[in-house]
Amino acid sequence: MCLHSNLLGWHDVPIARIVERVTQMPTYIDNDAHAVALGQKLFGEARELKSFMVIMLGKKIGAGSYMQGRLFRGNTGAAGEIGHCTVAPGGPRCECGKEGCLEVFATSLALLRRAAELHLPATEIGQLEGLAAKGVMKAIELLRHAGSALGIAVANSIQINNPELVLFADLVGFGNGVFITSARQAIENNIMPHLLSTTRLEFRSVEKDFMVRGAASIAAHQFLIERAAP
């Protein structure tokens, strides 16, 4: 069930039931970040971990978390909406209706929109990072501010949830540039010292089938494991 989507204007839409009726196949639905977290637990870097977070970096920013060996969806399935953490009170309005959300500053869409306003010749994140690597100050400042905003939000999540690993899935080509460096620095500067030494930060550029494998993990887990549970 899609409980709510600002982007699509949907409320309580039974997506799984609709797809199942059309395809005549068992269908399961979940948040994309939750699906990726489950995929990492079943087949990826987090197979041996009980507590970890996956942060999705792309046109949107989302998070999926495992806590004590279980995927944490929250009361209504909305856990992990890190993109809508307020990082600049009174800042620009987000599509969710709030002001100053992380997504207003740190998604690829927000960064490229701001780059266009600054007359920077970049239509992809890699091009924006390339300008920063050449010393273009407007590009450096834009990426640094966005990365720092992400780092602050993640630092707060680390202190609340105390994960063993935070895995950043780069879907749009940030690479190991100003954005990621700024995010890492902001995290390290804003968590308690003992968490700095016990929380592993991993930044990964991911393949095009990354999201598909996450979706397959949801189906496999629901069909093979949860159905079999007593």
Side-chain angles (χ1 to χ4, degrees):
M1 178 75 71
C2 174
L3 298 178
H4 177 75
S5 171
N6 284 305
L7 186 63
L8 299 173
W10 289 358
H11 302 278
D12 297 328
V13 178
I15 299 175
R17 193 169 69 208
I18 293 170
V19 175
E20 190 164 293
R21 184 173 67 241
V22 173
T23 64
Q24 298 298 305
M25 296 179 66
T27 303
Y28 307 95
I29 185 171
D30 209 325
N31 174 281
D32 56 352
H34 295 172
V36 167
L38 181 56
Q40 290 300 305
K41 178 61 177 175
L42 294 179
F43 309 114
E45 292 195 37
R47 282 175 291 182
E48 305 301 323
L49 305 181
K50 288 187 175 181
S51 299
F52 67 92
M53 296 173 60
V54 178
I55 309 293
M56 309 283 289
L57 303 177
K59 294 181 179 180
K60 300 290 181 182
I61 295 178
S65 294
Y66 255 74
M67 294 185 180
Q68 296 304 305
R70 296 187 64 86
L71 179 63
F72 182 68
R73 292 188 175 93
N75 182 43
T76 62
E81 291 288 354
I82 195 172
H84 297 289
C85 289
T86 301
V87 294
R93 185 171 295 276
C94 179
E95 66 180 23
C96 76
K98 300 196 296 96
E99 295 179 341
C101 290
L102 176 62
E103 286 204 352
V104 176
F105 302 100
T107 65
S108 62
L109 289 177
L111 282 164
L112 293 174
R113 187 182 302 121
R114 182 58 180 150
E117 293 171 355
L118 295 171
H119 306 293
L120 293 170
T123 57
E124 297 178 355
I125 289 298
Q127 294 172 340
L128 186 58
E129 285 282 4
L131 291 173
K134 293 177 182 178
V136 178
M137 286 308 301
K138 288 183 179 179
I140 293 172
E141 291 171 0
L142 178 59
L143 289 164
R144 182 179 293 157
H145 179 261
S148 296
L150 172 67
I152 292 294
V154 173
N156 288 334
S157 296
I158 290 173
Q159 296 198 144
I160 291 169
N161 297 325
N162 189 202
E164 300 169 75
L165 166 70
V166 181
L167 175 64
F168 294 82
D170 176 6
L171 299 164
V172 290
F174 283 107
N176 191 26
V178 174
F179 179 85
I180 294 299
T181 300
S182 299
R184 182 186 289 276
Q185 289 175 344
I187 294 169
E188 292 175 350
N189 291 339
N190 289 280
I191 58 176
M192 293 182 291
H194 80 277
L195 293 174
L196 185 59
S197 62
T198 58
T199 308
R200 183 158 56 99
L201 305 177
E202 295 285 347
F203 296 85
R204 293 282 185 269
S205 295
V206 298
E207 303 296 331
K208 292 181 178 180
D209 64 351
F210 185 75
M211 300 292 289
V212 179
R213 285 186 279 118
S217 298
I218 286 290
H221 187 265
Q222 292 281 350
F223 187 74
L224 297 174
I225 298 176
E226 293 198 4
R227 279 192 173 193

